[in-house]
Amino acid sequence: MDKFIIKGGIPLKGEVQISGAKNAAVAIIPAAVLSRDVCVLDNVPSISDVEVALEILAYMGAEIKRLGKSKIQIDSSRITDGTVPYDLARSTRGSSYFLGALLGRFGSARVPMPGGCDLGSRPIDQHIKCFEALGAKADIQHGIVDISADRLIGTQIYFDKVTVGGTINALLACVCAEGLTIIENAAKEPHIVDVANFLNSMGADIMGAGTDVIKIKGVRALHGTEYSVIPDQIEAGTFMVAAAATGGDITLKNVIPKHLEPITAKLRKIGVYVEIADDSDNIRVVGRSKYQSVDIKTSPHPGFPTDMQPQMTTLLTMAEGTSMVTESIFDTRFKYVDELRRMGADITVDSRVAVVRGVEHLTGAPVKPSDLRAGAALIIAGLAAQGTTEIEDIYHIERGYEEMEVKLRNLGADIVKRYYPDDDKLRKAL
Ligand code: EPU
């Protein structure tokens, strides 16, 4: 089993290159199925969730070529069947995008219910509702979602809840439907806009992505394209918080500052210095030794992102005073709090609200993340803590962060990845 071993207390210094956005890439890769031509994607992050999406494509008969570290070519022309294998689908949330993409291309799809981080209940009722509104029939049996339609016909879709996955699946299913589709109460995250831009670069006719009403005029077919994925807003935010937590001074390269505004605003409020030059794709973050408490409530974009909640809560454990953190998107996104308590944090959680009372410092401990962003939070805690932190189950982190430990080492952190074969033996024996 792999672990990260971190010796904390070193301020991060230097420059870090931010990779392509996970949540855009895991949607754009399935979206490539909609074209029978070749698609070339650049700025694709090397993370395990992307590997799973590519494996699913390859299983279905697509030809994938690596043109460089972050550049891939996808030829989906030979895919004839819309069935996704169970084990691959179960390991990520992004596998649900094969529903919309395969339905859009073949008029049918068989995709196991998706997996992904365990953050509480994650239904797909809104996805199904939009497929049905477009004229498809859906059936869930033995863990598999089976959808089919004789014709997909443009319609009005109103989401009862703002949903990133539902909005993307609606786009994928309706780009080639007959006539006009209007999606209301759509999600507005940067990766929604990126998926729409990708589809438009293939010949789709989508207007309004990034607002809560998106209009799509169906087109007959989509052609191939070359497209570069946007930088990862959450990876950037994670490095910003890591710099703040260690009292460091780092410059993030390849970011879109606009996407980071909700994070930048909260960091500035607690006392972090954030410098953004006009028309620049760099951000400089300078930490301090003391911060003030702040209240945070997660909400859909442009609100404070739920995917930054664990990292920001970790920083607040070291701020003066009491902060209230309210999680309004997912039922159980405070599981990492028990691990932070091992490190000396003073946090109480009541349902979706965490009360964080600042402590002087955290201390290193053996800890275990329950999901991807919990893992990011524990890395930040380990970097800031006095002493050594051992983080187990780092496969959670590798799902969404490209070479995290290498990037941190380049910023001066003392972090190594170690393989412990004895842990594997022990697990088998239990
Ligand atoms: N929801 C429903 N019904 C649905 C769909 C969603 O009730 O049909 C609920 C969910 O249970 C949740 C809320 O609506 O309470 C929002 O869920 P959403 O659909 O927006 O989330 P998602 O598409 O499952 C994506 C990201 C998550 C990120 C959320 C929110 C991907 C692959 N995943 O999930 O990313 O937290 O949007 O921004 O894009 C992560 O990267 O760590 C991560 C968990």
Side-chain angles (χ1 to χ4, degrees), residues 174-243:
C174 77
V175 272
C176 295
E178 291 168 35
L180 178 71
T181 300
I182 301 177
I183 305 174
E184 291 192 74
N185 201 23
K188 298 179 279 201
E189 270 65 8
H191 35 289
I192 304 280
V193 180
D194 209 35
V195 173
N197 287 343
F198 171 67
L199 293 169
N200 282 342
S201 78
M202 297 162 90
D205 187 348
I206 303 172
M207 277 173 56
T211 74
D212 47 20
V213 181
I214 308 179
K215 295 187 178 162
I216 306 106
K217 280 191 205 145
V219 295
R220 209 168 265 280
L222 297 181
H223 51 71
T225 186
E226 279 209 40
Y227 192 80
S228 184
V229 175
I230 52 166
D232 197 306
Q233 171 204 24
I234 305 301
E235 188 198 10
T238 301
F239 275 97
M240 290 169 82
V241 174

Side-chain angles (χ1 to χ4, degrees), residues 12 16 29 40 44 47 57 69 112 119 131 170 184 196 217 224 299 306 332 337 351 377 386 391 414 430:
L12 299 183
V16 59
I29 291 169
V40 175
V44 179
I47 52 173
L57 273 184
K69 185 167 179 246
L119 311 171
F131 299 142
E184 291 192 74
K217 280 191 205 145
S299 53
T306 174
T332 54
V337 160
S351 180
Q386 293 180 355
I391 306 182
D414 187 342
L430 286 173

Side-chain angles (χ1 to χ4, degrees), residues 22-23 26 93-94 97 117 119 121-127 161-166 189 191 306-307 329-330 333 372-373:
K22 166 180 97 85
N23 288 343
V26 299
R93 190 75 191 164
Y97 296 136
C117 289
L119 311 171
S121 167
R122 297 181 79 180
I124 58 162
D125 57 302
Q126 298 299 305
H127 305 225
K161 225 174 178 174
V162 178
T163 153
V164 168
E189 270 65 8
H191 35 289
T306 174
D307 294 344
I329 308 291
F330 291 109
R333 208 169 194 175
L372 168 61
R373 308 302 172 189

